[in-house]
Amino acid sequence: MAALQDFGTLHLIDERSSLPPPFQVRAHHCGISVPDLERSIAWYRDHLGFGLEYRTSMPMVPFEGAFLRRGETRIELFELPDATVMPAERRDPVTDLRTHGTKHLALEVDNLDTAFQWLSSRGVDIAMPPFEAHGLAGCYIRDCDGTLIELLEHRDGRGLVQPSQPSTFNKEKNMTELRHHHIEINRCKIHYVEAGEGPAVILCHGFPELWYSWRHQIPALVRNGYRAIALDMRGHGESDVPQDVESFGVVHTVGDVVGLMDALSIEKAVLVGHDAGTSTAYNTALMRPDRVLGVMGLSVPYIPRGPKSILEAFEGAVPPGFYMQYFQKPGIPEKDLERDVRETLRRLFFANSGLNPNVPFLMTVPEGGNLIDGLPAPSAGMDFLSEADLDVYAQAYSRTGFRGGLNGYRVFQQNWEHTAPWNGMPLPVPSAYVGGTADTVLHFPGFREAAQAMGRALFLEGAGHWIQAERAQEVNMALLAFLQMLKK
């Protein structure tokens, strides 16, 4: 169905037919059940400017109600004597989506920045700080009883409400204000990028990635008052690539994070990890819970250390030539991946994305063959990865090669041995998870259950492994909601 809006009247056109239905429709009102009618009337009057239009009642139900109005927008409030309390999951913009049915009330505003600042100054309950996507800027608030209200501003000229003053957010400006630094931590030079001011959020990428993998999250964090810090993990990008494999162990990468926090005088931070970066994020929380406010994992869930390493657990449970086992042999995968760096990256990103029609896709190497030739290649561009984005990765890995990232797989057994003191330990800090249903990781035995056990778990239908790029908006919303929860 396509909708054409004309001064508030909505004409519905069935794209299968040129004949519209013989009637017109337009929004009239949104109905909200409340525990205290008079209190809610006052809240909508004082905070959103709605006046009382008229009162209603229906003795047979029974309920007492009121229609509120601001301009052409109406809200009906009704109070029933024996209504049940709103479930907790309905108060959160992310968890509320997990049940079917009508969701939040959405109101268009002329300037989101002004609205958000004014409402915040009046102590309104913020459910999700401002975000931006597809020409829309928005945020979620809660009314006095927990009902979700989304405030939206069109920033592409399509809005019905005309801005009274220009918006203040400029994504390009924020991205050019990135601050690049190099620092020596534990005898290893680490490159990191930061932007913004406020509580620190440290971002740990996976393989084959860079700090640049957080390009969609950094502006959202900055805009919402956070200090975003994205590392080139050791062995990647502009960070050093130690010669010995043992230097890539999780004790070292945790040391990099804690050392960076010490150098920047950050007492506590929230950690976010993707793919192999989750190992650093989770283990930092385990080893130094005094420094971690919370941890979010993307793609790979937290699984407590068990009686076997991940390589031992996969033995016999995965097909021959499984890529993690292939990566154990020094020199062979490097030669394979470095024959054509750009093509390697293009195929790795596509094969493990939601764009691959054969998801979930398990990377394996035929006997006597190689990995990259067996990976599917995209027939066109990838909507989550532009050619310019691919250039950033290709230039970095052409300079460093893939040895640093591959060494991260070669310390799996070492990591298991070095983390014995935390055997079976749950995460000691609040945690959250976001993953895609098309991501092969979630199809490994027990991984989806492990994600659900993390508490705040969000599964995005059809998304692949590169979740923070493929579904940047949803990831940003989940991350901001988690950060907001941690403030409480």
Side-chain angles (χ1 to χ4, degrees), residues 43 71 75 86 97 101 115 125 146 153 159 164 181 197 200 202 223 246 269 273-274 326 361 383 390 426 456 473 480:
W43 189 92
I75 297 173
M86 179 188 296
L97 298 177
D125 189 9
E153 176 197 345
S164 57
H181 305 280
E197 304 294 337
I202 298 177
R223 185 168 64 251
E246 292 76 13
H274 172 249
Y326 175 68
F361 183 81
D383 56 9
L390 187 57
R456 295 174 65 94
Q473 177 61 19
L480 292 171

PDB file of all heavy atoms in Angstrom, residues 43 71 75 86 97 101 115 125 146 153 159 164 181 197 200 202 223 246 269 273-274 326 361 383 390 426 456 473 480:
ATOM      1  N   TRP A  43      -0.982  16.447  33.008  1.00  0.00           N
ATOM      2  CA  TRP A  43       0.349  16.181  32.447  1.00  0.00           C
ATOM      3  C   TRP A  43       0.404  16.580  30.972  1.00  0.00           C
ATOM      4  O   TRP A  43       1.340  17.256  30.528  1.00  0.00           O
ATOM      5  CB  TRP A  43       0.702  14.705  32.598  1.00  0.00           C
ATOM      6  CG  TRP A  43       2.137  14.404  32.252  1.00  0.00           C
ATOM      7  CD1 TRP A  43       3.198  14.377  33.079  1.00  0.00           C
ATOM      8  CD2 TRP A  43       2.654  14.119  30.927  1.00  0.00           C
ATOM      9  NE1 TRP A  43       4.357  14.090  32.394  1.00  0.00           N
ATOM     10  CE2 TRP A  43       4.051  13.928  31.072  1.00  0.00           C
ATOM     11  CE3 TRP A  43       2.088  14.009  29.670  1.00  0.00           C
ATOM     12  CZ2 TRP A  43       4.865  13.633  29.996  1.00  0.00           C
ATOM     13  CZ3 TRP A  43       2.906  13.721  28.583  1.00  0.00           C
ATOM     14  CH2 TRP A  43       4.276  13.535  28.748  1.00  0.00           C
ATOM     15  N   GLY A  71      -4.292  21.699  18.164  1.00  0.00           N
ATOM     16  CA  GLY A  71      -4.412  21.800  16.717  1.00  0.00           C
ATOM     17  C   GLY A  71      -5.350  20.730  16.196  1.00  0.00           C
ATOM     18  O   GLY A  71      -6.473  20.573  16.675  1.00  0.00           O
ATOM     19  N   ILE A  75      -6.148  13.351  21.550  1.00  0.00           N
ATOM     20  CA  ILE A  75      -5.846  12.202  22.392  1.00  0.00           C
ATOM     21  C   ILE A  75      -7.061  11.942  23.267  1.00  0.00           C
ATOM     22  O   ILE A  75      -7.616  12.878  23.862  1.00  0.00           O
ATOM     23  CB  ILE A  75      -4.612  12.460  23.283  1.00  0.00           C
ATOM     24  CG1 ILE A  75      -3.362  12.678  22.432  1.00  0.00           C
ATOM     25  CG2 ILE A  75      -4.398  11.300  24.255  1.00  0.00           C
ATOM     26  CD1 ILE A  75      -2.147  13.106  23.231  1.00  0.00           C
ATOM     27  N   MET A  86       0.225  -1.361  33.521  1.00  0.00           N
ATOM     28  CA  MET A  86       1.004  -1.562  32.304  1.00  0.00           C
ATOM     29  C   MET A  86       2.206  -2.468  32.575  1.00  0.00           C
ATOM     30  O   MET A  86       2.965  -2.214  33.506  1.00  0.00           O
ATOM     31  CB  MET A  86       1.502  -0.211  31.768  1.00  0.00           C
ATOM     32  CG  MET A  86       2.357  -0.329  30.514  1.00  0.00           C
ATOM     33  SD  MET A  86       3.108   1.252  30.042  1.00  0.00           S
ATOM     34  CE  MET A  86       1.645   2.215  29.683  1.00  0.00           C
ATOM     35  N   LEU A  97       8.459  -3.587  21.220  1.00  0.00           N
ATOM     36  CA  LEU A  97       8.264  -4.067  19.852  1.00  0.00           C
ATOM     37  C   LEU A  97       8.127  -5.582  19.774  1.00  0.00           C
ATOM     38  O   LEU A  97       7.759  -6.113  18.728  1.00  0.00           O
ATOM     39  CB  LEU A  97       9.438  -3.609  18.982  1.00  0.00           C
ATOM     40  CG  LEU A  97       9.621  -2.092  18.834  1.00  0.00           C
ATOM     41  CD1 LEU A  97      10.865  -1.809  18.016  1.00  0.00           C
ATOM     42  CD2 LEU A  97       8.395  -1.463  18.186  1.00  0.00           C
ATOM     43  N   GLY A 101       0.613  -5.604  18.040  1.00  0.00           N
ATOM     44  CA  GLY A 101      -0.418  -4.647  18.416  1.00  0.00           C
ATOM     45  C   GLY A 101       0.062  -3.206  18.352  1.00  0.00           C
ATOM     46  O   GLY A 101       1.219  -2.912  18.046  1.00  0.00           O
ATOM     47  N   ALA A 115      12.418  20.884  21.759  1.00  0.00           N
ATOM     48  CA  ALA A 115      11.442  20.102  22.513  1.00  0.00           C
ATOM     49  C   ALA A 115      12.123  19.223  23.551  1.00  0.00           C
ATOM     50  O   ALA A 115      11.698  19.160  24.720  1.00  0.00           O
ATOM     51  CB  ALA A 115      10.611  19.253  21.558  1.00  0.00           C
ATOM     52  N   ASP A 125      10.211  12.073  31.946  1.00  0.00           N
ATOM     53  CA  ASP A 125      10.893  10.782  31.893  1.00  0.00           C
ATOM     54  C   ASP A 125      11.313  10.484  30.458  1.00  0.00           C
ATOM     55  O   ASP A 125      10.469  10.322  29.575  1.00  0.00           O
ATOM     56  CB  ASP A 125       9.951   9.695  32.427  1.00  0.00           C
ATOM     57  CG  ASP A 125      10.632   8.353  32.610  1.00  0.00           C
ATOM     58  OD1 ASP A 125      11.866   8.300  32.484  1.00  0.00           O
ATOM     59  OD2 ASP A 125       9.922   7.368  32.882  1.00  0.00           O
ATOM     60  N   GLY A 146       3.763   6.107  32.181  1.00  0.00           N
ATOM     61  CA  GLY A 146       4.659   5.188  31.482  1.00  0.00           C
ATOM     62  C   GLY A 146       4.347   4.959  30.024  1.00  0.00           C
ATOM     63  O   GLY A 146       5.073   4.220  29.353  1.00  0.00           O
ATOM     64  N   GLU A 153      10.799  14.855  14.234  1.00  0.00           N
ATOM     65  CA  GLU A 153      10.980  16.048  13.404  1.00  0.00           C
ATOM     66  C   GLU A 153      11.496  15.617  12.042  1.00  0.00           C
ATOM     67  O   GLU A 153      12.501  14.905  11.942  1.00  0.00           O
ATOM     68  CB  GLU A 153      11.992  17.019  14.035  1.00  0.00           C
ATOM     69  CG  GLU A 153      12.275  18.228  13.148  1.00  0.00           C
ATOM     70  CD  GLU A 153      13.546  18.966  13.538  1.00  0.00           C
ATOM     71  OE1 GLU A 153      14.081  18.738  14.644  1.00  0.00           O
ATOM     72  OE2 GLU A 153      14.030  19.767  12.705  1.00  0.00           O
ATOM     73  N   GLY A 159       8.069  17.390   6.388  1.00  0.00           N
ATOM     74  CA  GLY A 159       7.188  17.478   7.537  1.00  0.00           C
ATOM     75  C   GLY A 159       6.015  18.411   7.336  1.00  0.00           C
ATOM     76  O   GLY A 159       6.060  19.354   6.543  1.00  0.00           O
ATOM     77  N   SER A 164      10.470  26.238  13.453  1.00  0.00           N
ATOM     78  CA  SER A 164      10.484  27.623  13.882  1.00  0.00           C
ATOM     79  C   SER A 164      11.904  28.140  13.973  1.00  0.00           C
ATOM     80  O   SER A 164      12.137  29.331  13.966  1.00  0.00           O
ATOM     81  CB  SER A 164       9.804  27.748  15.250  1.00  0.00           C
ATOM     82  OG  SER A 164      10.444  26.902  16.199  1.00  0.00           O
ATOM     83  N   HIS A 181      44.296   9.693  17.982  1.00  0.00           N
ATOM     84  CA  HIS A 181      45.426   9.678  18.912  1.00  0.00           C
ATOM     85  C   HIS A 181      46.173   8.357  18.798  1.00  0.00           C
ATOM     86  O   HIS A 181      45.605   7.326  18.429  1.00  0.00           O
ATOM     87  CB  HIS A 181      44.953   9.839  20.364  1.00  0.00           C
ATOM     88  CG  HIS A 181      44.113  11.050  20.601  1.00  0.00           C
ATOM     89  ND1 HIS A 181      44.635  12.310  20.773  1.00  0.00           N
ATOM     90  CD2 HIS A 181      42.761  11.188  20.712  1.00  0.00           C
ATOM     91  CE1 HIS A 181      43.656  13.172  20.983  1.00  0.00           C
ATOM     92  NE2 HIS A 181      42.514  12.520  20.939  1.00  0.00           N
ATOM     93  N   GLU A 197      31.876  14.677  24.356  1.00  0.00           N
ATOM     94  CA  GLU A 197      32.207  14.820  25.769  1.00  0.00           C
ATOM     95  C   GLU A 197      31.107  14.170  26.589  1.00  0.00           C
ATOM     96  O   GLU A 197      29.964  14.102  26.177  1.00  0.00           O
ATOM     97  CB  GLU A 197      32.331  16.304  26.139  1.00  0.00           C
ATOM     98  CG  GLU A 197      33.343  17.086  25.308  1.00  0.00           C
ATOM     99  CD  GLU A 197      34.775  16.631  25.524  1.00  0.00           C
ATOM    100  OE1 GLU A 197      35.045  16.047  26.605  1.00  0.00           O
ATOM    101  OE2 GLU A 197      35.622  16.859  24.641  1.00  0.00           O
ATOM    102  N   ALA A 200      31.953   7.976  29.188  1.00  0.00           N
ATOM    103  CA  ALA A 200      32.718   7.284  28.149  1.00  0.00           C
ATOM    104  C   ALA A 200      32.046   5.991  27.710  1.00  0.00           C
ATOM    105  O   ALA A 200      31.582   5.203  28.535  1.00  0.00           O
ATOM    106  CB  ALA A 200      34.129   6.992  28.646  1.00  0.00           C
ATOM    107  N   ILE A 202      33.292   2.892  25.259  1.00  0.00           N
ATOM    108  CA  ILE A 202      34.461   2.369  24.549  1.00  0.00           C
ATOM    109  C   ILE A 202      34.012   1.269  23.597  1.00  0.00           C
ATOM    110  O   ILE A 202      33.317   0.329  24.005  1.00  0.00           O
ATOM    111  CB  ILE A 202      35.511   1.848  25.542  1.00  0.00           C
ATOM    112  CG1 ILE A 202      35.999   3.013  26.421  1.00  0.00           C
ATOM    113  CG2 ILE A 202      36.683   1.209  24.815  1.00  0.00           C
ATOM    114  CD1 ILE A 202      36.986   2.609  27.497  1.00  0.00           C
ATOM    115  N   ARG A 223      25.896  12.959  19.792  1.00  0.00           N
ATOM    116  CA  ARG A 223      24.682  13.772  19.812  1.00  0.00           C
ATOM    117  C   ARG A 223      23.922  13.632  21.128  1.00  0.00           C
ATOM    118  O   ARG A 223      23.216  14.547  21.549  1.00  0.00           O
ATOM    119  CB  ARG A 223      23.800  13.358  18.634  1.00  0.00           C
ATOM    120  CG  ARG A 223      22.550  14.208  18.459  1.00  0.00           C
ATOM    121  CD  ARG A 223      21.888  13.933  17.119  1.00  0.00           C
ATOM    122  NE  ARG A 223      21.409  12.570  17.003  1.00  0.00           N
ATOM    123  CZ  ARG A 223      21.943  11.643  16.220  1.00  0.00           C
ATOM    124  NH1 ARG A 223      23.013  11.932  15.517  1.00  0.00           N
ATOM    125  NH2 ARG A 223      21.441  10.435  16.148  1.00  0.00           N
ATOM    126  N   GLU A 246      51.296 -14.899  21.106  1.00  0.00           N
ATOM    127  CA  GLU A 246      50.811 -14.835  22.484  1.00  0.00           C
ATOM    128  C   GLU A 246      50.389 -13.424  22.887  1.00  0.00           C
ATOM    129  O   GLU A 246      49.555 -13.250  23.776  1.00  0.00           O
ATOM    130  CB  GLU A 246      51.887 -15.343  23.443  1.00  0.00           C
ATOM    131  CG  GLU A 246      52.176 -16.838  23.337  1.00  0.00           C
ATOM    132  CD  GLU A 246      53.015 -17.201  22.114  1.00  0.00           C
ATOM    133  OE1 GLU A 246      53.586 -16.268  21.487  1.00  0.00           O
ATOM    134  OE2 GLU A 246      53.078 -18.397  21.759  1.00  0.00           O
ATOM    135  N   ALA A 269      33.537   3.118  32.485  1.00  0.00           N
ATOM    136  CA  ALA A 269      33.032   3.283  31.123  1.00  0.00           C
ATOM    137  C   ALA A 269      32.057   2.160  30.807  1.00  0.00           C
ATOM    138  O   ALA A 269      32.036   1.117  31.471  1.00  0.00           O
ATOM    139  CB  ALA A 269      34.177   3.273  30.116  1.00  0.00           C
ATOM    140  N   GLY A 273      31.189  -4.311  22.323  1.00  0.00           N
ATOM    141  CA  GLY A 273      32.046  -5.127  21.476  1.00  0.00           C
ATOM    142  C   GLY A 273      31.272  -5.771  20.354  1.00  0.00           C
ATOM    143  O   GLY A 273      30.087  -6.086  20.505  1.00  0.00           O
ATOM    144  N   HIS A 274      31.941  -5.946  19.222  1.00  0.00           N
ATOM    145  CA  HIS A 274      31.348  -6.672  18.097  1.00  0.00           C
ATOM    146  C   HIS A 274      32.285  -7.791  17.690  1.00  0.00           C
ATOM    147  O   HIS A 274      33.504  -7.615  17.661  1.00  0.00           O
ATOM    148  CB  HIS A 274      31.116  -5.742  16.903  1.00  0.00           C
ATOM    149  CG  HIS A 274      30.684  -6.479  15.666  1.00  0.00           C
ATOM    150  ND1 HIS A 274      31.487  -6.607  14.551  1.00  0.00           N
ATOM    151  CD2 HIS A 274      29.536  -7.145  15.377  1.00  0.00           C
ATOM    152  CE1 HIS A 274      30.851  -7.306  13.627  1.00  0.00           C
ATOM    153  NE2 HIS A 274      29.658  -7.647  14.105  1.00  0.00           N
ATOM    154  N   TYR A 326      40.814 -23.441  10.061  1.00  0.00           N
ATOM    155  CA  TYR A 326      41.689 -23.061   8.951  1.00  0.00           C
ATOM    156  C   TYR A 326      42.605 -21.913   9.352  1.00  0.00           C
ATOM    157  O   TYR A 326      43.781 -21.868   8.965  1.00  0.00           O
ATOM    158  CB  TYR A 326      40.814 -22.685   7.758  1.00  0.00           C
ATOM    159  CG  TYR A 326      41.539 -22.141   6.549  1.00  0.00           C
ATOM    160  CD1 TYR A 326      42.383 -22.937   5.788  1.00  0.00           C
ATOM    161  CD2 TYR A 326      41.345 -20.817   6.156  1.00  0.00           C
ATOM    162  CE1 TYR A 326      43.025 -22.437   4.661  1.00  0.00           C
ATOM    163  CE2 TYR A 326      41.976 -20.304   5.025  1.00  0.00           C
ATOM    164  CZ  TYR A 326      42.817 -21.125   4.286  1.00  0.00           C
ATOM    165  OH  TYR A 326      43.448 -20.625   3.173  1.00  0.00           O
ATOM    166  N   PHE A 361      25.292 -18.604   6.516  1.00  0.00           N
ATOM    167  CA  PHE A 361      26.368 -19.100   5.663  1.00  0.00           C
ATOM    168  C   PHE A 361      27.552 -19.509   6.529  1.00  0.00           C
ATOM    169  O   PHE A 361      28.083 -18.704   7.289  1.00  0.00           O
ATOM    170  CB  PHE A 361      26.787 -18.008   4.677  1.00  0.00           C
ATOM    171  CG  PHE A 361      27.845 -18.442   3.709  1.00  0.00           C
ATOM    172  CD1 PHE A 361      27.520 -19.175   2.578  1.00  0.00           C
ATOM    173  CD2 PHE A 361      29.173 -18.109   3.924  1.00  0.00           C
ATOM    174  CE1 PHE A 361      28.496 -19.576   1.680  1.00  0.00           C
ATOM    175  CE2 PHE A 361      30.160 -18.505   3.040  1.00  0.00           C
ATOM    176  CZ  PHE A 361      29.821 -19.251   1.907  1.00  0.00           C
ATOM    177  N   ASP A 383      24.301  -2.218   0.366  1.00  0.00           N
ATOM    178  CA  ASP A 383      23.718  -0.992   0.897  1.00  0.00           C
ATOM    179  C   ASP A 383      24.309  -0.578   2.238  1.00  0.00           C
ATOM    180  O   ASP A 383      24.214   0.590   2.626  1.00  0.00           O
ATOM    181  CB  ASP A 383      22.195  -1.126   1.008  1.00  0.00           C
ATOM    182  CG  ASP A 383      21.753  -2.322   1.835  1.00  0.00           C
ATOM    183  OD1 ASP A 383      22.618  -2.969   2.471  1.00  0.00           O
ATOM    184  OD2 ASP A 383      20.544  -2.622   1.854  1.00  0.00           O
ATOM    185  N   LEU A 390      34.528   0.638   1.740  1.00  0.00           N
ATOM    186  CA  LEU A 390      35.395  -0.491   1.421  1.00  0.00           C
ATOM    187  C   LEU A 390      36.832  -0.026   1.194  1.00  0.00           C
ATOM    188  O   LEU A 390      37.788  -0.723   1.565  1.00  0.00           O
ATOM    189  CB  LEU A 390      34.860  -1.228   0.196  1.00  0.00           C
ATOM    190  CG  LEU A 390      35.555  -2.528  -0.191  1.00  0.00           C
ATOM    191  CD1 LEU A 390      35.545  -3.530   0.954  1.00  0.00           C
ATOM    192  CD2 LEU A 390      34.886  -3.138  -1.427  1.00  0.00           C
ATOM    193  N   PRO A 426      29.118 -15.606  35.752  1.00  0.00           N
ATOM    194  CA  PRO A 426      28.245 -14.726  34.971  1.00  0.00           C
ATOM    195  C   PRO A 426      28.827 -13.317  34.912  1.00  0.00           C
ATOM    196  O   PRO A 426      29.694 -12.961  35.713  1.00  0.00           O
ATOM    197  CB  PRO A 426      26.927 -14.744  35.753  1.00  0.00           C
ATOM    198  CG  PRO A 426      27.346 -15.033  37.168  1.00  0.00           C
ATOM    199  CD  PRO A 426      28.543 -15.949  37.054  1.00  0.00           C
ATOM    200  N   ARG A 456      18.725  -8.191  28.269  1.00  0.00           N
ATOM    201  CA  ARG A 456      18.202  -7.299  27.227  1.00  0.00           C
ATOM    202  C   ARG A 456      18.739  -7.779  25.881  1.00  0.00           C
ATOM    203  O   ARG A 456      19.770  -7.303  25.403  1.00  0.00           O
ATOM    204  CB  ARG A 456      18.614  -5.855  27.493  1.00  0.00           C
ATOM    205  CG  ARG A 456      18.028  -5.264  28.758  1.00  0.00           C
ATOM    206  CD  ARG A 456      18.602  -3.891  29.032  1.00  0.00           C
ATOM    207  NE  ARG A 456      18.242  -2.921  28.018  1.00  0.00           N
ATOM    208  CZ  ARG A 456      17.187  -2.105  28.094  1.00  0.00           C
ATOM    209  NH1 ARG A 456      16.399  -2.145  29.156  1.00  0.00           N
ATOM    210  NH2 ARG A 456      16.925  -1.239  27.135  1.00  0.00           N
ATOM    211  N   GLN A 473      20.438   1.987  12.600  1.00  0.00           N
ATOM    212  CA  GLN A 473      19.435   2.710  13.371  1.00  0.00           C
ATOM    213  C   GLN A 473      18.928   1.887  14.557  1.00  0.00           C
ATOM    214  O   GLN A 473      18.853   2.388  15.686  1.00  0.00           O
ATOM    215  CB  GLN A 473      18.258   3.097  12.469  1.00  0.00           C
ATOM    216  CG  GLN A 473      17.111   3.790  13.198  1.00  0.00           C
ATOM    217  CD  GLN A 473      17.541   5.087  13.857  1.00  0.00           C
ATOM    218  OE1 GLN A 473      18.570   5.657  13.512  1.00  0.00           O
ATOM    219  NE2 GLN A 473      16.781   5.548  14.823  1.00  0.00           N
ATOM    220  N   LEU A 480      21.404   3.289  22.888  1.00  0.00           N
ATOM    221  CA  LEU A 480      20.999   4.467  23.661  1.00  0.00           C
ATOM    222  C   LEU A 480      20.017   4.096  24.768  1.00  0.00           C
ATOM    223  O   LEU A 480      20.070   4.661  25.865  1.00  0.00           O
ATOM    224  CB  LEU A 480      20.399   5.517  22.728  1.00  0.00           C
ATOM    225  CG  LEU A 480      21.385   6.162  21.742  1.00  0.00           C
ATOM    226  CD1 LEU A 480      20.643   7.020  20.732  1.00  0.00           C
ATOM    227  CD2 LEU A 480      22.434   6.974  22.481  1.00  0.00           C
TER     228      LEU A 480
END
